[in-house]
Amino acid sequence: MLPLEPARIRDLFPAFSEPSLQGQAFFENAGGSYTARPVLDRLDHYYRALKVQPYGVYRASQAAGEAMNLAYDRIAAALNVTADWIHFGPSTSANTYVLGNAFAGWLKPGDAIVVTNQDHEANTGAWRKLAGSGIEVREWQVDPQTGRLDLSGLDALLDDKVRLIAAPHCSNIAGEINPVAEIAQRAKAVGAVTVIDGVSYAPHGLPDLQGLGADIYLFSAYRTYGPHQGIMAVRPGLAAQLPNQGHFFNDAKPRYRLTPAGPDHAQIAASAGIADYLEAVAGIAGQHIDGADPFRRAHAAMRAQEVALLRPLLDWIRGRNDLRLIGPADAELRAPTVALALREPGAVVAARLARHGIMAAGGNFYAWRLLNAVGVDPTHGVLRLSFVHYTTPEEIARLIAALEAEIS
Ligand SMILES: Cc1ncc(COP(=O)(O)O)c(C=O)c1O
C-alpha cells in the first residue's frame, strides 16, 4: 500500500485537472515540478489584493509585507531553522553566483576550497571562478563507472587550508543521496563551511537543516511545488561575516545583503504555500508515518512513496543489460531522477517517448562535468526520467511500456 493516496495528492495540483495536460505523464520534474494549489492561491491573492509596495505605512502595504514575512517563517519552519537563515533570489544559479562573489571577498589568497565534478554547474562553476582570486580549487571526483562521490575521496583533499566545501545533496543525473551530515562534520573538523546544493533533493522532502549541519543549503522553489524562486538558507553568523552584495546603505539589513536582484514580492509571499502543501501531504499520510512535525512526516511519506514507485522502473532497467543507468540501482539510495546513457542521444529518444504521452527530456542538464567524468559525451546527453511523489503506479507502467517500445 502506498503511504500517499495519489488521487488526494493530485487533487492539490491544478495541472492534473487541466484539460490540455490530460493523457500526458510528466517525467521531467527535476527540471521543474507542477505548482501546488496553495502556492497558486497565495500568488493569485498577492497579485489581486496586495500588489503594492510592501513594508510601508498603509494597510495594504503592511499586509503585503506580512504575507512576505510569513513565507520566510514558514519556509524556515519547514527546514527546522529560524527565519533569519532564509534568503530568496531569482534562481539557484543566481544565488550561487552572488555567494561566489561574496566568498571572493571573504576568503584569502592561499585558502583552498573543494568542489565536485558531480554537481550541476550552478554549484561548481561559481566556486571554481574563485581561482581568479588566488584561491586553490581542489576537485572531489566521482567514480567514473558509477558517478558516485566517495567520502574517502573527500578525506584525501582535506587539510587546514580548506575553508569551503561545495557539494550536491543529490546529483540531477546520478540521483544518489550524498551523506551531507558526514560531509558537514568533516568540513567542521577542518574549520571549513559547507555549501550544499539541494535542488535535486528538496522536491523529495525538505530536509531538517539542523540535522544535516550544513552552513548553506540551496534549492529552487519552482522544482519544489512553488514559484520561480531560488531559496538559500545561510547560517546567520556566516551571512553576517560575508561582504554585503547589496546597496551599501542596506548593509545593516541582513535580508538585503545577499540578494542584489531585489525581492520578487509576490513570489516570495507565494512560497509560504510550499509549507501549506507539505502540511497537507503530512495530513494525507496520516499518523502511521513517523516524524517529529508535519514537515518531517511529509518528507518521510514522500520518500517512502517514491521508493515504492521507483522499484519497478529500476527492476526493468536491471532486466535490460543493454542500458546504462548512471548512479545506483537501489531505490533506497537515490532520488527518482533516473538518467540512462543510450546509444542514441537522450533527446532523440525523449522525442519518441512524447508520442506515447510521456513528457521527458534528454541532454546534459548542465551536469557537463559529471557526464564527461562518467564517459558520456555531454553533447550526446542522457535520457532523464524524473518523477516525484505525485506520480502514479499507472504512469510508471506506461513509462516502462513506452521505453520498451522505443529503446532498441
Ligand atoms: C542540481 C541542480 N542544481 C542547481 C540547478 C540550478 O537551478 P536554477 O534553475 O534555480 O538556477 C539545477 C537546475 O537544473 C539543478 O538541477
Side-chain angles (χ1 to χ4, degrees):
M1 243 264 290
L2 290 171
L4 295 169
E5 194 185 324
R8 288 181 70 196
I9 290 288
R10 286 159 83 100
D11 211 28
L12 293 163
F13 289 88
F16 289 117
S17 43
E18 163 62 35
S20 62
L21 289 170
Q22 294 309 302
Q24 301 289 308
F26 189 32
F27 283 96
E28 214 195 344
N29 291 277
S33 66
Y34 283 160
T35 312
R37 190 188 304 282
V39 173
L40 287 166
D41 288 348
R42 286 186 183 275
L43 192 64
D44 183 69
H45 176 68
Y46 195 96
Y47 274 116
R48 284 175 196 278
L50 304 174
K51 187 67 185 67
V52 296
Q53 192 56 23
Y55 302 114
V57 293
Y58 48 95
R59 201 179 53 189
S61 174
Q62 286 168 353
E66 280 160 19
M68 289 173 66
N69 287 348
L70 181 69
Y72 286 86
D73 293 341
R74 301 276 288 145
I75 293 293
L79 293 167
N80 193 25
V81 290
T82 45
D84 51 355
W85 279 67
I86 306 301
H87 305 262
F88 287 87
S91 66
T92 296
S93 303
N95 286 345
T96 52
Y97 185 84
V98 172
L99 286 172
N101 281 319
F103 274 91
W106 188 71
L107 297 168
K108 306 269 173 302
D111 286 346
I113 64 168
V114 174
V115 296
T116 80
N117 61 353
Q118 195 192 55
D119 273 277
H120 179 282
E121 193 60 20
N123 192 41
T124 191
W127 303 113
R128 289 171 194 259
K129 287 193 174 88
L130 294 175
S133 308
I135 307 301
E136 183 195 343
V137 178
R138 302 177 184 176
E139 189 180 65
W140 180 13
Q141 294 180 346
V142 296
D143 178 305
Q145 293 303 317
T146 61
R148 180 157 206 266
L149 281 174
D150 198 281
L151 283 172
S152 62
L154 174 62
D155 288 336
L157 299 173
L158 293 181
D159 58 32
D160 59 9
K161 282 176 75 183
V162 176
R163 306 252 62 87
L164 178 144
I165 300 172
H169 197 164
C170 166
S171 146
N172 64 338
I173 295 286
E176 183 160 10
I177 299 165
N178 289 322
V180 172
E182 281 90 335
I183 296 170
Q185 255 170 24
R186 282 165 162 79
K188 220 173 184 174
V190 296
V193 301
T194 321
V195 183
I196 299 298
D197 176 351
V199 172
S200 283
Y201 185 88
H204 313 294
L206 289 186
D208 173 345
L209 293 190
Q210 300 294 349
L212 284 186
D215 300 288
I216 301 181
Y217 192 89
L218 304 134
F219 68 101
S220 304
Y222 74 103
R223 295 190 172 87
T224 312
Y225 321 114
H228 204 119
Q229 286 285 288
I231 298 178
M232 48 183 166
V234 184
R235 194 178 291 285
L238 171 64
Q241 286 175 43
L242 293 174
N244 177 21
Q245 301 301 301
H247 300 313
F248 73 90
F249 43 80
N250 285 330
D251 190 37
K253 298 179 181 168
R255 228 175 240 179
Y256 289 65
R257 297 178 78 257
L258 296 175
T259 53
D264 182 320
H265 305 148
Q267 292 200 54
I268 291 174
S271 295
I274 297 173
D276 304 340
Y277 173 65
L278 295 174
E279 285 174 341
V281 171
I284 291 169
Q287 295 308 318
H288 60 287
I289 292 282
D290 281 343
D293 61 37
F295 301 114
R296 306 286 75 79
R297 279 210 304 284
H299 185 180
M302 286 155 84
R303 275 297 297 154
Q305 185 93 349
E306 292 174 352
V307 166
L309 290 166
L310 186 51
R311 281 200 185 110
L313 178 60
L314 293 179
D315 287 348
W316 179 80
I317 292 169
R318 257 198 308 266
R320 289 271 309 232
N321 50 18
D322 55 335
L323 304 181
R324 181 177 176 205
L325 168 72
I326 316 278
D330 179 345
E332 302 276 353
L333 299 181
R334 64 177 302 144
T337 302
V338 175
L340 297 174
L342 304 171
R343 196 175 39 79
E344 293 180 278
V348 170
V349 181
R352 289 207 301 274
L353 292 177
R355 294 194 228 127
H356 297 255
I358 301 293
M359 299 191 279
N364 58 60
F365 303 98
Y366 289 10
W368 191 279
R369 297 170 201 272
L370 174 59
L371 289 200
N372 266 332
V374 297
V376 177
D377 177 355
T379 62
H380 180 92
V382 291
L383 173 68
R384 190 174 71 176
L385 310 159
S386 59
F387 62 90
V388 296
H389 62 288
Y390 54 50
T391 303
T392 62
E394 294 72 32
E395 287 176 324
I396 300 286
R398 229 170 103 196
L399 171 67
I400 293 173
L403 292 169
E404 191 75 69
E406 295 301 343
I407 301 180
S408 51

